[in-house]
Amino acid sequence: MYIEQLQKYKINPWSYFPLPFLFGLLMIYNWSSMQGVDSEVLIKQYIKKLGVNMTFVALVLPLSLLLFIVLLYNRYFQNNSLRLLTTSRAKIDWKRILFSFFLWGSISVGTTILAYLLSPKDFIWNLNWSQFLPFLFLAVLLIPLQTSFEEYLFRGHLLQGLGLATKTKWVPFLVTSFLFGIMHLGNPEVDKLGPIVMVYYIGTGLFLGLLTLMDEGLELALGFHAANNLIGALLVTSDWSAFQTYSILKDVSEPSVALQIIGPIFIVYPILIYVFAKKYQWSNWKAKLFGKVQPLTTS
Protein backbone atom coordinates (compact mmCIF):
# COMPACT_ATOMS: atom_id res chain seq x y z
CA MET A 1 0.00 0.00 0.00
CA TYR A 2 2.99 2.36 0.29
CA ILE A 3 2.75 3.13 -3.43
CA GLU A 4 -0.86 2.11 -4.01
CA GLN A 5 -2.28 4.54 -1.43
CA LEU A 6 -1.30 7.53 -3.59
CA GLN A 7 -3.63 6.53 -6.44
CA LYS A 8 -6.70 7.94 -4.72
CA TYR A 9 -5.09 11.39 -4.59
CA LYS A 10 -4.63 11.47 -8.38
CA ILE A 11 -1.12 12.94 -8.21
CA ASN A 12 0.46 13.29 -11.66
CA PRO A 13 3.32 10.72 -11.78
CA TRP A 14 5.43 13.10 -13.86
CA SER A 15 5.44 15.60 -11.01
CA TYR A 16 7.75 13.22 -9.16
CA PHE A 17 10.66 13.56 -11.59
CA PRO A 18 11.84 17.23 -11.58
CA LEU A 19 13.49 16.96 -8.15
CA PRO A 20 15.47 13.75 -8.83
CA PHE A 21 16.39 15.07 -12.28
CA LEU A 22 17.76 18.34 -10.90
CA PHE A 23 19.59 16.53 -8.12
CA GLY A 24 21.05 14.14 -10.68
CA LEU A 25 22.35 17.07 -12.73
CA LEU A 26 23.96 18.48 -9.59
CA MET A 27 25.64 15.14 -8.86
CA ILE A 28 26.88 14.84 -12.45
CA TYR A 29 28.33 18.35 -12.27
CA ASN A 30 30.07 17.61 -8.96
CA TRP A 31 31.39 14.28 -10.19
CA SER A 32 32.67 15.68 -13.50
CA SER A 33 34.40 18.56 -11.71
CA MET A 34 36.20 16.00 -9.53
CA GLN A 35 37.71 14.10 -12.44
CA GLY A 36 41.49 13.96 -12.05
CA VAL A 37 41.23 15.26 -8.48
CA ASP A 38 42.18 13.11 -5.48
CA SER A 39 39.17 13.52 -3.19
CA GLU A 40 41.21 12.53 -0.13
CA VAL A 41 43.73 15.30 -0.86
CA LEU A 42 40.91 17.76 -1.55
CA ILE A 43 39.25 17.06 1.81
CA LYS A 44 42.59 17.54 3.58
CA GLN A 45 42.95 20.90 1.86
CA TYR A 46 39.50 21.93 3.05
CA ILE A 47 40.35 20.79 6.58
CA LYS A 48 43.55 22.83 6.53
CA LYS A 49 41.62 25.89 5.35
CA LEU A 50 38.33 25.56 7.27
CA GLY A 51 39.05 23.15 10.09
CA VAL A 52 37.57 19.71 10.72
CA ASN A 53 34.14 20.81 11.95
CA MET A 54 33.52 23.42 9.29
CA THR A 55 34.61 20.99 6.57
CA PHE A 56 32.08 18.52 7.97
CA VAL A 57 29.40 21.23 7.92
CA ALA A 58 30.31 22.18 4.34
CA LEU A 59 29.85 18.57 3.24
CA VAL A 60 26.64 17.79 5.14
CA LEU A 61 24.71 21.07 5.39
CA PRO A 62 23.72 21.31 1.68
CA LEU A 63 22.12 17.84 1.76
CA SER A 64 20.50 18.60 5.11
CA LEU A 65 18.84 21.70 3.66
CA LEU A 66 17.70 19.78 0.58
CA LEU A 67 15.48 17.70 2.85
CA PHE A 68 13.25 20.72 3.37
CA ILE A 69 13.03 21.30 -0.38
CA VAL A 70 11.80 17.73 -0.88
CA LEU A 71 9.24 18.06 1.92
CA LEU A 72 8.02 21.49 0.78
CA TYR A 73 7.77 20.34 -2.85
CA ASN A 74 5.64 17.36 -1.81
CA ARG A 75 3.47 19.49 0.44
CA TYR A 76 2.83 22.54 -1.73
CA PHE A 77 3.38 21.38 -5.33
CA GLN A 78 1.89 17.91 -5.02
CA ASN A 79 -0.47 18.47 -2.07
CA ASN A 80 1.09 15.37 -0.56
CA SER A 81 1.38 14.93 3.20
CA LEU A 82 4.47 13.93 5.17
CA ARG A 83 2.61 10.86 6.37
CA LEU A 84 1.86 9.65 2.83
CA LEU A 85 5.47 10.26 1.82
CA THR A 86 6.68 8.28 4.84
CA THR A 87 4.35 5.36 5.40
CA SER A 88 1.19 3.47 4.47
CA ARG A 89 0.21 3.33 8.15
CA ALA A 90 -2.36 5.67 9.70
CA LYS A 91 0.52 7.65 11.22
CA ILE A 92 4.30 7.59 11.16
CA ASP A 93 5.54 4.74 13.37
CA TRP A 94 8.30 6.29 15.48
CA LYS A 95 8.80 3.01 17.33
CA ARG A 96 9.92 1.44 14.06
CA ILE A 97 12.37 4.28 13.42
CA LEU A 98 13.83 4.01 16.93
CA PHE A 99 14.00 0.22 16.86
CA SER A 100 15.94 0.27 13.58
CA PHE A 101 18.19 3.09 14.81
CA PHE A 102 19.10 1.42 18.09
CA LEU A 103 19.43 -2.05 16.59
CA TRP A 104 21.95 -0.93 13.98
CA GLY A 105 23.57 1.55 16.37
CA SER A 106 24.14 -1.21 18.93
CA ILE A 107 25.58 -3.55 16.31
CA SER A 108 27.88 -0.77 15.04
CA VAL A 109 29.15 0.00 18.55
CA GLY A 110 29.60 -3.70 19.35
CA THR A 111 31.51 -4.54 16.16
CA THR A 112 33.73 -1.47 16.58
CA ILE A 113 34.62 -2.48 20.16
CA LEU A 114 35.33 -6.03 18.99
CA ALA A 115 37.55 -4.79 16.13
CA TYR A 116 39.46 -2.58 18.56
CA LEU A 117 39.98 -5.42 21.06
CA LEU A 118 41.07 -7.89 18.37
CA SER A 119 43.44 -5.49 16.59
CA PRO A 120 44.20 -2.38 18.67
CA LYS A 121 47.16 -1.53 16.44
CA ASP A 122 44.69 -0.67 13.68
CA PHE A 123 43.30 2.23 15.72
CA ILE A 124 44.46 5.44 17.35
CA TRP A 125 42.57 6.77 20.37
CA ASN A 126 41.35 10.05 18.94
CA LEU A 127 39.01 11.35 21.67
CA ASN A 128 39.52 14.95 22.76
CA TRP A 129 36.49 16.23 24.67
CA SER A 130 36.98 19.88 23.73
CA GLN A 131 36.89 18.87 20.05
CA PHE A 132 34.44 15.99 20.32
CA LEU A 133 31.58 17.80 22.07
CA PRO A 134 31.15 20.56 19.43
CA PHE A 135 31.31 17.90 16.73
CA LEU A 136 28.76 15.79 18.62
CA PHE A 137 26.33 18.72 18.55
CA LEU A 138 26.84 19.30 14.81
CA ALA A 139 26.57 15.60 13.99
CA VAL A 140 23.35 15.05 15.95
CA LEU A 141 21.87 18.17 14.36
CA LEU A 142 22.87 17.61 10.72
CA ILE A 143 23.38 13.92 10.01
CA PRO A 144 19.74 12.81 10.61
CA LEU A 145 18.66 15.59 8.24
CA GLN A 146 21.19 14.47 5.63
CA THR A 147 20.22 10.81 5.81
CA SER A 148 16.50 11.66 5.86
CA PHE A 149 16.96 13.72 2.69
CA GLU A 150 18.44 10.71 0.90
CA GLU A 151 15.66 8.43 2.13
CA TYR A 152 12.83 10.83 1.31
CA LEU A 153 14.27 11.60 -2.13
CA PHE A 154 15.16 8.07 -3.26
CA ARG A 155 12.97 5.62 -1.33
CA GLY A 156 10.13 8.06 -0.74
CA HIS A 157 9.61 10.58 -3.52
CA LEU A 158 11.29 8.78 -6.43
CA LEU A 159 10.26 5.24 -5.49
CA GLN A 160 6.62 6.27 -5.21
CA GLY A 161 6.78 8.26 -8.44
CA LEU A 162 8.34 5.42 -10.43
CA GLY A 163 5.83 2.99 -8.95
CA LEU A 164 2.90 5.14 -10.04
CA ALA A 165 4.40 5.78 -13.48
CA THR A 166 5.34 2.16 -14.30
CA LYS A 167 2.68 0.36 -12.21
CA THR A 168 5.44 -1.96 -11.00
CA LYS A 169 7.41 -2.57 -7.80
CA TRP A 170 10.59 -3.94 -9.37
CA VAL A 171 11.36 -0.86 -11.49
CA PRO A 172 11.43 1.59 -8.55
CA PHE A 173 13.15 -1.02 -6.35
CA LEU A 174 16.06 -1.51 -8.77
CA VAL A 175 16.29 1.98 -10.26
CA THR A 176 16.33 3.85 -6.94
CA SER A 177 18.92 1.42 -5.54
CA PHE A 178 21.20 1.93 -8.54
CA LEU A 179 20.85 5.71 -8.47
CA PHE A 180 21.47 5.77 -4.72
CA GLY A 181 24.71 3.90 -5.28
CA ILE A 182 25.81 6.10 -8.17
CA MET A 183 25.29 9.17 -5.97
CA HIS A 184 28.34 8.08 -3.95
CA LEU A 185 30.74 7.98 -6.90
CA GLY A 186 32.58 11.07 -5.64
CA ASN A 187 33.27 9.63 -2.18
CA PRO A 188 36.94 9.14 -1.18
CA GLU A 189 36.18 5.46 -0.52
CA VAL A 190 35.80 4.95 -4.28
CA ASP A 191 39.31 6.31 -4.88
CA LYS A 192 40.71 4.14 -2.10
CA LEU A 193 38.99 0.82 -2.79
CA GLY A 194 38.21 1.23 -6.47
CA PRO A 195 34.93 0.73 -8.38
CA ILE A 196 34.26 -2.50 -6.45
CA VAL A 197 33.03 -0.34 -3.55
CA MET A 198 29.97 0.49 -5.65
CA VAL A 199 28.77 -3.04 -4.83
CA TYR A 200 28.44 -1.83 -1.24
CA TYR A 201 26.60 1.38 -2.09
CA ILE A 202 24.20 -0.21 -4.58
CA GLY A 203 23.77 -3.19 -2.26
CA THR A 204 22.90 -0.83 0.58
CA GLY A 205 20.37 0.83 -1.71
CA LEU A 206 18.81 -2.57 -2.41
CA PHE A 207 18.74 -3.34 1.31
CA LEU A 208 17.01 -0.07 2.17
CA GLY A 209 14.62 -0.43 -0.76
CA LEU A 210 13.71 -3.91 0.44
CA LEU A 211 13.00 -2.57 3.93
CA THR A 212 10.76 0.13 2.48
CA LEU A 213 8.73 -2.11 0.18
CA MET A 214 8.41 -5.06 2.55
CA ASP A 215 7.50 -2.89 5.54
CA GLU A 216 5.25 -0.58 3.47
CA GLY A 217 7.00 2.55 4.71
CA LEU A 218 10.24 4.43 5.21
CA GLU A 219 10.51 4.09 8.98
CA LEU A 220 13.03 1.24 9.14
CA ALA A 221 15.18 2.76 6.39
CA LEU A 222 15.15 6.17 8.12
CA GLY A 223 16.30 4.66 11.41
CA PHE A 224 19.00 2.46 9.89
CA HIS A 225 20.46 5.19 7.68
CA ALA A 226 20.61 7.73 10.51
CA ALA A 227 22.33 5.25 12.82
CA ASN A 228 24.75 4.13 10.12
CA ASN A 229 26.03 7.64 9.40
CA LEU A 230 25.74 9.16 12.86
CA ILE A 231 27.23 6.35 14.94
CA GLY A 232 29.90 5.78 12.29
CA ALA A 233 30.93 9.45 12.28
CA LEU A 234 31.09 9.59 16.08
CA LEU A 235 32.95 6.31 16.54
CA VAL A 236 35.59 6.03 13.83
CA THR A 237 37.23 8.28 11.29
CA SER A 238 39.99 7.61 8.77
CA ASP A 239 42.05 9.49 6.21
CA TRP A 240 40.13 7.86 3.34
CA SER A 241 36.52 8.22 4.51
CA ALA A 242 34.02 10.86 3.43
CA PHE A 243 33.55 12.01 7.04
CA GLN A 244 36.90 12.99 8.59
CA THR A 245 35.85 14.01 12.06
CA TYR A 246 36.77 14.45 15.71
CA SER A 247 35.60 10.90 16.38
CA ILE A 248 36.49 8.65 19.30
CA LEU A 249 38.82 6.43 17.25
CA LYS A 250 40.84 6.82 14.09
CA ASP A 251 41.28 3.79 11.85
CA VAL A 252 44.86 3.68 10.53
CA SER A 253 44.61 0.25 8.88
CA GLU A 254 44.36 -0.39 5.17
CA PRO A 255 40.71 -0.86 4.15
CA SER A 256 39.67 -4.39 3.24
CA VAL A 257 37.24 -5.28 0.47
CA ALA A 258 36.10 -8.28 2.53
CA LEU A 259 35.47 -6.14 5.61
CA GLN A 260 33.99 -3.10 3.86
CA ILE A 261 31.88 -4.84 1.21
CA ILE A 262 31.44 -8.61 1.58
CA GLY A 263 30.70 -8.52 5.32
CA PRO A 264 27.84 -5.99 5.24
CA ILE A 265 26.23 -7.05 1.95
CA PHE A 266 26.36 -10.83 2.24
CA ILE A 267 26.37 -11.41 6.02
CA VAL A 268 25.09 -8.46 8.06
CA TYR A 269 22.25 -7.24 5.84
CA PRO A 270 20.66 -10.71 5.46
CA ILE A 271 20.71 -11.10 9.25
CA LEU A 272 19.02 -7.73 9.70
CA ILE A 273 16.42 -8.61 7.06
CA TYR A 274 15.68 -11.81 8.97
CA VAL A 275 15.28 -9.90 12.26
CA PHE A 276 12.96 -7.30 10.72
CA ALA A 277 10.96 -9.94 8.84
CA LYS A 278 10.36 -11.94 12.02
CA LYS A 279 9.53 -8.92 14.16
CA TYR A 280 7.12 -7.34 11.69
CA GLN A 281 5.81 -10.61 10.17
CA TRP A 282 6.56 -9.83 6.55
CA SER A 283 4.86 -11.92 3.88
CA ASN A 284 4.12 -11.87 0.12
CA TRP A 285 7.77 -11.13 -0.69
CA LYS A 286 7.49 -11.67 -4.44
CA ALA A 287 4.44 -9.43 -4.83
CA LYS A 288 5.83 -6.64 -2.63
CA LEU A 289 9.24 -6.53 -4.30
CA PHE A 290 8.54 -7.52 -7.90
CA GLY A 291 4.78 -7.44 -8.36
CA LYS A 292 2.55 -4.85 -9.99
CA VAL A 293 1.05 -1.79 -8.35
CA GLN A 294 -2.53 -2.87 -7.97
CA PRO A 295 -5.37 -0.37 -8.52
CA LEU A 296 -7.27 0.57 -5.39
CA THR A 297 -10.67 -1.02 -5.10
CA THR A 298 -13.60 1.26 -4.38
CA SER A 299 -16.40 0.22 -2.10
Side-chain angles (χ1 to χ4, degrees), residues 124-178:
I124 294 175
W125 191 256
N126 195 50
L127 179 62
N128 180 311
W129 286 107
S130 64
Q131 297 173 332
F132 178 77
L133 290 177
F135 170 66
L136 173 64
F137 171 79
L138 292 171
V140 171
L141 176 66
L142 294 177
I143 287 180
L145 297 177
Q146 172 247 323
T147 57
S148 294
F149 160 69
E150 295 178 11
E151 291 309 310
Y152 276 110
L153 180 67
F154 286 98
R155 276 158 293 275
H157 183 83
L158 183 57
L159 184 142
Q160 288 183 329
L162 283 171
L164 290 176
T166 65
K167 303 298 182 184
T168 67
K169 303 288 185 66
W170 68 270
V171 170
F173 179 37
L174 298 180
V175 170
T176 57
S177 301
F178 176 77

Side-chain angles (χ1 to χ4, degrees), residues 43 67 85 110 164 225 227 250 284:
I43 290 177
L67 169 65
L85 188 63
L164 290 176
H225 202 162
K250 182 174 183 178
N284 301 323

Side-chain angles (χ1 to χ4, degrees), residues 154-217:
F154 286 98
R155 276 158 293 275
H157 183 83
L158 183 57
L159 184 142
Q160 288 183 329
L162 283 171
L164 290 176
T166 65
K167 303 298 182 184
T168 67
K169 303 288 185 66
W170 68 270
V171 170
F173 179 37
L174 298 180
V175 170
T176 57
S177 301
F178 176 77
L179 293 177
F180 175 78
I182 293 299
M183 181 187 74
H184 295 84
L185 267 175
N187 283 20
E189 294 90 339
V190 179
D191 291 337
K192 189 69 176 181
L193 289 168
I196 187 66
V197 78
M198 297 310 296
V199 173
Y200 168 75
Y201 289 122
I202 295 173
T204 299
L206 289 167
F207 168 69
L208 294 169
L210 183 147
L211 297 188
T212 301
L213 289 172
M214 288 305 304
D215 202 52
E216 299 286 4

